[in-house]
């Protein structure tokens, strides 16, 4: 059988036309079956099979060392996606395993890399800050190109999602679900130490807490995606409506808009124009991690569409209400509940129709204990 497969491969390699036809047929079949669509039912089944297999490998492994790889050629330059992978490193470290973390630098398109080098270096630096904050004990960190990584003796090592890593397929989209499954049987004591809270994460020297009690809402304004259909930016009309309602319902709390520098400037202009008295995260913080600490110290967190700062709510028990389009990567533990450690005050709504009526109705019912 093996000999037959080898002969078929040789024939295909020699005949470019047949090879191209087969590749196109496979692509069409993947499209029909929904294998390219991360929201499809088939894709979710496939993801669960991959996850179950990975959990078996981890549980049966006797290795005391774990290798985690974040390949920037197969993964996006996004802080939220990297955060999920870093939280896996935190989990394995707290379970007593020594963590080797490899950041594979982007080298797929040299011209693109040269043009955007400062952007890549910024994200590499932010990734390192996330790791050093979440992993308190000693761990190994390497930043290198794939050619360097491949020279390492990796055959007999426990590499998380090893097959996908070696095939250079994305893995970041599996990590939250992996942790959700691994934590199902974890004790209350372990989860309290593992999850993020006001006690586990602290501000850096350049940030500070607001003096008054407050709630937070994450508002996204990604200038790279303004013209993209169904982008996750919150529209100005949506922003005005939600902020006005939050100000009305929670009069005893300051409202802090959590966004990056560009977002804070954009929403500040809208707020001034519409007489919305709110505060902005960049008045208090200077980094992604400090934005997360700001969120963790708030009484309640809200999010309509928007972006990756929500990962801090993934790995905490802070009360939140979030409305999002159908999740591409995360598989909710059950309806309206993202993680196994979440409860009734951690409420997520998936909606692809840009309709947030359920979000507004749920918001009206929320009461915050003073």
């Amino acid at each position: 059988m093996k000999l037959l497969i080898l002969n078929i491969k040789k024939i295909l390699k020699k005949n470019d036309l047949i090879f191209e036809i087969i590749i196109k047929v496979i692509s069409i079949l993947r499209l029909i079956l929904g294998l390219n669509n991360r929201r499809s039912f088939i894709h979710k089944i496939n993801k669960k099979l991959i996850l179950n297999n990975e959990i078996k490998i981890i549980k049966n492994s006797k290795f005391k060392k774990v290798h985690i790889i974040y390949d920037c050629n197969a993964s996006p330059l996004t802080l939220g996606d990297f955060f999920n992978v870093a939280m896996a490193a935190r989990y394995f470290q707290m379970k007593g395993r020594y963590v080797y973390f490899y950041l594979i630098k982007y080298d797929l398109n040299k011209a693109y890399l040269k043009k955007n080098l400062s952007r890549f270096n910024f994200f590499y630096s932010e990734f390192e800050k996330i790791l050093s904050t979440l992993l308190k004990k000693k761990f190994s960190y390497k930043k290198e190109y794939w050619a360097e990584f491949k020279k390492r003796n990796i055959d007999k090592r426990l590499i998380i999602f090893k097959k996908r890593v070696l095939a250079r397929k994305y893995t970041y989209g599996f990590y939250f679900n992996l942790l959700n499954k691994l934590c199902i049987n974890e004790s209350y004591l372990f989860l309290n130490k593992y999850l993020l809270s006001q006690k586990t994460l602290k501000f850096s020297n350049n940030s500070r807490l607001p003096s008054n009690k407050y709630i937070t809402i994450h508002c996204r304004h990604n200038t790279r995606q303004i013209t993209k259909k169904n982008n996750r930016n919150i529209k100005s009309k949506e922003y005005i409506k939600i902020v006005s309602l939050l100000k009305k319902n929670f009069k005893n709390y300051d409202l802090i808009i959590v966004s990056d520098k560009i977002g804070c400037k954009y929403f500040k202009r809208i707020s001034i124009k519409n007489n919305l008295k709110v505060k902005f995260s960049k008045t208090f913080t200077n980094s992604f991690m400090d934005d997360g600490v700001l969120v963790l110290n708030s009484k309640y967190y809200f999010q309509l569409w928007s972006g990756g700062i929500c990962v801090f709510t993934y790995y905490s028990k802070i009360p939140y209400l979030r409305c999002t389009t159908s999740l591409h990567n995360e598989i909710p533990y059950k309806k309206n509940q993202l993680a196994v450690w979440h409860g009734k005050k951690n409420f997520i709504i998936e909606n692809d129709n840009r309709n947030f009526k359920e979000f507004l109705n749920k918001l009206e019912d929320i009461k915050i204990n003073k």
Side-chain angles (χ1 to χ4, degrees):
M1 187 65 181
K2 287 183 179 179
L3 186 62
L4 178 62
I5 292 170
L6 285 171
N7 288 332
I8 291 171
K9 284 183 177 180
K10 285 179 181 179
I11 293 168
L12 290 176
K13 284 181 179 179
K14 288 179 180 179
N15 195 317
D16 292 338
L17 181 60
I18 294 175
F19 183 73
E20 284 181 18
I21 291 171
I22 289 173
I23 291 297
K24 285 183 179 180
V25 169
I26 291 171
S27 297
I28 292 168
L29 285 173
R30 288 183 66 86
L31 187 64
I32 292 170
L33 294 173
L35 296 177
N36 293 333
N37 181 3
R38 294 192 196 178
R39 299 180 183 183
S40 71
F41 180 68
I42 291 176
H43 181 85
K44 287 180 180 179
I45 291 175
N46 186 48
K47 176 172 277 190
K48 286 181 179 180
L49 291 173
I50 292 170
L51 285 167
N52 291 337
N53 182 60
E54 198 63 30
I55 285 172
K56 283 183 183 178
I57 292 170
I58 292 167
K59 289 185 175 179
N60 292 333
S61 171
K62 295 180 181 179
F63 291 106
K64 292 294 182 182
K65 299 174 182 178
V66 170
H67 296 73
I68 295 176
I69 290 84
Y70 193 88
D71 187 348
C72 291
N73 291 277
S75 308
L77 287 179
T78 48
L79 300 179
D81 290 312
F82 183 86
F83 194 93
N84 281 323
V85 183
M87 283 301 292
R90 177 181 172 89
Y91 172 85
F92 288 115
Q93 189 182 72
M94 292 183 69
K95 295 300 288 184
R97 303 205 194 202
Y98 188 87
V99 174
Y100 287 84
F101 199 105
Y102 294 92
L103 181 70
I104 307 300
K105 295 190 288 184
Y106 179 87
D107 62 356
L108 193 64
N109 184 323
K110 296 294 175 64
Y112 179 78
L113 176 60
K114 187 177 180 180
K115 186 179 178 181
N116 296 276
L117 188 59
S118 60
R119 183 167 179 262
F120 277 97
N121 287 334
F122 166 79
F123 277 98
Y124 293 158
S125 176
E126 289 299 302
F127 290 165
E128 290 172 27
K129 288 176 187 176
I130 291 171
L131 274 180
S132 61
T133 303
L134 295 179
L135 278 66
K136 298 299 182 183
K137 297 178 182 178
K138 188 179 178 183
F139 64 97
S140 175
Y141 172 75
K142 298 287 183 183
K143 181 174 65 176
E144 58 192 20
Y145 290 108
W146 181 256
E148 297 171 286
F149 175 74
K150 279 288 286 181
K151 290 177 183 177
R152 298 180 179 278
N153 181 19
I154 58 177
D155 292 338
K156 294 182 180 180
R157 297 183 183 183
L158 175 57
I159 298 175
I160 307 302
F161 298 111
K162 187 173 184 177
K163 286 184 178 180
R164 295 187 68 84
V165 166
L166 296 180
R168 306 203 74 179
K169 294 181 178 180
Y170 82 94
T171 59
Y172 66 91
F174 290 86
Y175 275 95
F176 171 78
N177 305 308
L178 178 70
L179 290 166
N180 223 356
K181 285 181 172 288
L182 287 172
C183 286
I184 286 177
N185 296 316
E186 292 293 353
S187 68
Y188 177 83
L189 184 63
F190 174 83
L191 287 176
N192 262 9
K193 290 180 179 179
Y194 170 67
L195 296 177
L196 308 176
S197 69
Q198 300 172 9
K199 295 179 180 179
T200 55
L201 281 189
K202 301 295 181 183
F203 280 126
S204 65
N205 295 331
N206 298 321
S207 298
R208 62 186 176 87
L209 268 177
S211 54
N212 299 328
K213 56 187 180 180
Y214 64 95
I215 58 174
T216 49
I217 177 170
H218 175 41
C219 297
R220 183 178 191 261
H221 182 69
N222 187 334
T223 54
R224 290 169 174 262
Q225 295 188 349
I226 290 174
T227 57
K228 184 180 178 183
K229 188 180 178 182
N230 298 325
N231 70 68
R232 290 178 291 134
N233 290 344
I234 184 170
K235 297 177 181 178
S236 58
K237 288 183 179 179
E238 294 170 336
Y239 172 80
I240 293 165
K241 187 167 187 175
I242 297 299
V243 168
S244 299
L245 187 57
L246 287 171
K247 291 291 292 179
K248 177 187 171 185
N249 286 15
F250 307 103
K251 294 178 181 178
N252 296 323
Y253 292 84
D254 284 345
L255 175 58
I256 297 179
I257 310 301
V258 182
S259 194
D260 58 15
K261 288 181 180 179
I262 294 171
C264 283
K265 286 181 181 178
Y266 174 77
F267 293 112
K268 190 172 186 178
R269 287 197 299 269
I270 297 173
S271 300
I272 292 171
K273 187 177 179 180
N274 292 274
N275 197 29
L276 298 172
K277 295 180 180 179
V278 297
K279 296 181 179 180
F280 297 89
S281 60
K282 287 298 161 273
T283 304
F284 307 97
T285 68
N286 290 293
S287 69
F288 174 78
M289 290 303 293
D290 283 345
D291 281 344
V293 177
L294 189 69
V295 166
L296 292 172
N297 279 273
S298 63
K299 283 290 184 179
Y300 228 101
Y301 172 85
F302 299 90
Q303 180 170 334
L304 180 64
W305 321 129
S306 301
I309 200 71
C310 59
V311 289
F312 289 92
T313 67
Y314 284 14
Y315 303 100
S316 72
K317 294 182 181 180
I318 176 176
Y320 72 80
L321 173 62
R322 180 185 172 203
C323 182
T324 178
T325 52
S326 292
L327 297 166
H328 283 206
N329 297 315
E330 298 83 4
I331 301 172
Y333 175 64
K334 60 183 181 182
K335 184 174 174 59
N336 301 123
Q337 183 179 327
L338 191 61
V340 64
W341 50 80
H342 285 159
K344 291 181 180 179
K345 290 185 177 181
N346 310 110
F347 201 87
I348 188 166
I349 302 162
E350 292 183 83
N351 187 309
D352 284 333
N353 300 320
R354 203 79 189 191
N355 183 334
F356 53 101
K357 188 180 288 186
E358 185 181 355
F359 178 87
L360 294 175
N361 291 338
K362 191 72 181 174
L363 195 159
E364 289 280 15
D365 294 334
I366 291 174
K367 307 294 179 189
I368 302 178
N369 295 328
K370 294 183 180 180

